[in-house]
Amino acid sequence: MSDTAPPLVTTAWLTDHLGDGDVKVLDASYHLPTVKRDADAEFRATHIPGAVRFDIDAVCEPGNPLPHMIPSTALFANKVGALGVASGDHVVVYDVYGMQSAARAWWMFRLFGHDRVSVLNGGLPKWTAEGRPTEAGAPTPSPASFEARLRPELVRVRDDLLRNIDGAEEQVVDARAAGRFTGEEPEPRAGMRSGHIPGSRSLPFTTLLSGEHREIAPPDQLHAAFDAAGLDLDKPMVASCGSGVTACVIALAAHVLGKPGIAVYDGSWSEWGGRDDTPIETGPAA
């Protein structure tokens, strides 16, 4: 058994492997508060057979006022083990958008040392469009033993980004919509300033997706998107977004292109834009 897995799996692959004892499927759907949808209720109504719910707002640091910040290593291990995921399992994550918060769950598993993790490309939309089976209800998984080991090189904090403004040792790339990056569109979370981290580049995560089911785009389209944003995949890079979710789509896309080391700014704009002591630029990238 390999200790690694491809970053993406297809719906056909998952159909063939749903019955494998070491394949664990997680629904990692997440909605912005402004969407007014209940991901837990939607999961209970419809999910891929055998899937369990991975809620990024539950697998996080308790008491932190910022949304879904990463938990401690011990807490991640306990939460994942309670979902029935063991250290040797091949974890497959998906979401109801096709490709969005599933990338966050994928990144979290890798952050905590688990490389046998893949994202279902196209997620639940593609799965259901193809007429593949679903089920309802609230599963009660048997607890398993999961060992977590933090990879600090895959995460950045505010102080790292502040130091990088002058040093520019790492490229900073922003996954939010272009209008939010320039400051022309308001942030969906109340109290946020508009704009972007000085020196950062804009790469809306949607430019990395293709098709009606929002699958990760083919490699040539991914390369073109990174190039158009003025980014060099051979140089260190940190991805940011609104709250550390769609930044992980950038990390996933880079991994697909053979660049697995992209870090994520966990606090992202929820932290940076919510303070009054962090510098902000507006307008297009310089």
Side-chain angles (χ1 to χ4, degrees):
M1 179 181 68
S2 173
D3 290 333
T4 62
L8 302 172
V9 295
T10 65
T11 52
W13 184 94
L14 184 56
T15 297
D16 290 341
H17 293 274
L18 263 185
D20 295 358
D22 64 341
V23 172
K24 300 297 170 62
V25 183
L26 306 181
D27 181 323
S29 300
Y30 164 78
H31 304 300
L32 282 169
T34 52
V35 175
K36 307 297 184 185
R37 290 174 61 177
D38 185 334
D40 289 337
E42 292 175 5
F43 172 79
R44 290 190 296 270
T46 305
H47 56 262
I48 292 175
V52 296
R53 181 87 175 96
F54 183 95
D55 182 356
I56 63 172
D57 278 335
V59 188
C60 66
E61 181 185 1
N64 195 310
L66 295 171
H68 38 255
M69 295 290 283
I70 59 169
S72 68
T73 303
L75 182 57
F76 184 83
N78 289 338
K79 291 277 190 178
V80 168
L83 296 178
V85 179
S87 293
D89 286 340
H90 182 176
V91 177
V92 178
V93 292
Y94 72 89
D95 64 51
V96 297
Y97 289 105
M99 183 66 69
Q100 191 160 302
S101 52
R104 171 74 180 191
W106 168 87
W107 172 77
M108 289 178 72
F109 273 94
R110 293 195 65 249
L111 176 67
F112 287 105
H114 190 83
D115 286 330
R116 290 199 81 203
V117 58
S118 308
V119 177
L120 178 64
N121 208 11
L124 192 63
K126 185 172 185 182
W127 183 271
T128 54
E130 294 172 345
R132 300 184 190 273
T134 60
E135 63 183 13
T140 54
S142 300
S145 176
F146 186 92
E147 182 178 349
R149 175 180 53 83
L150 181 68
R151 287 175 167 146
E153 68 272 16
L154 293 182
V155 66
R156 296 289 182 273
V157 297
R158 183 183 73 256
D159 286 348
D160 297 326
L161 275 293
L162 284 169
R163 285 191 296 270
N164 192 68
I165 290 174
D166 292 329
E169 294 181 358
E170 296 184 311
Q171 304 166 100
V172 179
V173 53
D174 194 320
R176 295 174 301 154
R180 292 169 64 187
F181 179 89
T182 61
E184 296 171 297
E185 296 177 6
E187 288 296 306
R189 292 178 174 85
M192 299 287 106
R193 294 179 293 162
S194 296
H196 57 266
I197 298 171
S200 59
R201 295 282 177 172
S202 176
L203 179 58
F205 81 97
T206 51
T207 65
L208 303 172
L209 309 179
S210 69
E212 61 180 316
H213 307 308
R214 291 164 49 117
E215 299 173 66
I216 285 285
D220 58 346
Q221 184 176 327
L222 297 181
H223 277 296
F226 279 98
D227 289 344
L231 297 162
D232 186 344
L233 281 164
D234 291 324
K235 295 181 179 179
M237 193 180 302
V238 180
S240 180
C241 61
S243 65
V245 175
T246 58
C248 299
V249 177
I250 293 178
L252 176 62
H255 193 117
V256 168
L257 294 177
K259 306 295 180 180
I262 304 301
V264 169
Y265 171 25
D266 194 30
S268 282
W269 200 253
S270 292
E271 179 176 43
W272 196 276
R275 301 175 64 96
D276 58 12
D277 61 350
T278 45
I280 284 178
E281 289 179 345
T282 56

